[in-house]
DNA sequence: ATGTATTTGGTACTTTAGTATGAGCCTTAA
DNA sequence: TTAAGGCTCATACTAAAGTACCAAATACAT
């Protein structure tokens, strides 16, 4: 919010400055009228592009960022989260074990703990819940 | 592409028109210089906003729209797709059967066919592949 | 140094998931 | 009216997934 105010204050100052420069330049015939108009147009065109992009990016980022605090709040450990990511990639317990260099039994333990922490009955449901909670993309 | 060319052509025409109007108005003292500048600025500000929004919307939509043609290309039937959606919601075969008012056996058949059509070994992998192919959100 | 949490792993078991095969019913196009 | 595709369902089986319980090694803080 403070940023927005600052940006608009600077814009108004820039506008006034361009007014005076343009007026003086044309009156003294140092600059052609068309060029002043063109500069104004280009500048404000890019100002519009810039402001619009900023506003949209906030919405996009909010939908993609993962909530690390919520992971901690659910008491999901680092290792369990790693397993969760692999599950969402469609790997089996055995495959996850191979990727993380541990036994399938270990993965089963992690999965079982994950399911109870996420209140899920199945790994597919765990992925769905995790995405709803913005824990996974 | 044709649209883009048309828009830019109109923009150039508008720019030239504004040039002449502004020049004539100021020379004949019918309009103050500041007002011309302000109009130009406002117009091009919104032009920038508009063009930027159009461009971004295409990218956003491409990431969210599901590719119905690809579904047909993979020979996935309507019923199979319904089952796929339920799988991605985290339901079991039994629960899917209850929701669609058919037996668990039927769902198993659909799932088995789905997996082979998607080249997946597990339902979790099927969901992942489907999302990559923009078949699921 | 003792307690706590994490990670690891095993056994034994139950429950889902998934495959293979066959078959009946319905709709639609040739 | 056949043929084909889609939906349904069953049986019998194998393969994963998931639960419950136990136990040991590590790390880290008080």
């Amino acid at each position: 919010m403070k940023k927005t105010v600052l940006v608009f204050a600077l814009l108004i100052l820039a506008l006034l400055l361009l007014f005076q420069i343009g007026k003086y330049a044309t009156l003294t015939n140092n600059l052609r009228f068309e060029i002043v108009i063109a500069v104004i147009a280009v500048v404000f065109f890019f100002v519009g592009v810039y402001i619009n992009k900023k506003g949209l990016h906030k919405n996009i980022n909010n939908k993609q960022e993962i909530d690390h605090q919520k992971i901690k709040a659910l008491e999901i450990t680092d290792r369990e989260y790693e397993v969760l990511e692999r599950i969402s990639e469609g790997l089996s317990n055995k495959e996850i074990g191979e990727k993380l260099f541990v036994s399938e039994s270990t993965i089963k333990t992690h999965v079982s703990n994950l399911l109870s922490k996420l209140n899920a009955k199945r790994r597919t449901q765990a992925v769905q819940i995790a995405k709803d909670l913005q824990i996974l993309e």
Side-chain angles (χ1 to χ4, degrees), chain A:
Chain A
M1 265 301 143
K2 287 178 183 175
K3 250 186 180 175
T4 309
V5 173
L6 194 67
V7 167
F8 272 94
L10 286 174
L11 278 180
I12 292 168
L13 281 176
L15 182 59
L16 292 174
L17 196 63
L18 282 171
F19 273 5
Q20 296 311 317
I21 291 174
K23 202 174 181 181
Y24 176 78
T26 47
L27 287 178
T28 57
N29 281 326
N30 284 335
L31 211 56
R32 286 188 60 198
F33 184 82
E34 284 89 345
I35 292 177
V36 175
I37 297 285
V39 169
I40 300 277
V42 168
V43 166
F44 276 86
F45 174 81
F46 281 106
V47 166
V49 169
Y50 174 78
I51 286 181
N52 194 254
K53 216 164 206 166
K54 272 247 165 173
L56 284 181
H57 262 298
K58 282 183 180 174
N59 293 331
I60 293 170
N61 285 338
N62 282 342
K63 288 178 184 172
Q64 287 184 338
E65 278 174 6
I66 58 179
D67 193 338
H68 295 282
Q69 294 182 336
K70 209 168 283 176
I71 297 175
K72 287 179 185 172
L74 290 168
E75 295 180 295
I76 294 174
T77 67
D78 290 354
R79 206 56 165 169
E80 283 164 1
Y81 185 73
E82 278 188 275
V83 172
L84 179 57
E85 289 178 311
R86 303 295 180 174
I87 290 175
S88 78
E89 291 169 9
L91 301 186
S92 68
N93 289 337
K94 193 181 175 184
E95 289 169 339
I96 297 172
E98 286 165 0
K99 283 224 175 187
L100 301 184
F101 304 107
V102 294
S103 76
E104 189 186 347
S105 298
T106 304
I107 304 301
K108 280 190 177 184
T109 305
H110 288 320
V111 172
S112 204
N113 291 331
L114 258 175
L115 295 184
S116 67
K117 286 176 184 177
L118 287 171
N119 276 315
K121 293 174 185 171
R122 282 163 296 281
R123 47 172 52 214
T124 47
Q125 195 181 12
V127 171
Q128 171 66 18
I129 291 173
K131 287 182 180 177
D132 278 353
L133 295 176
Q134 290 172 321
I135 281 176
L136 278 179
E137 281 187 53

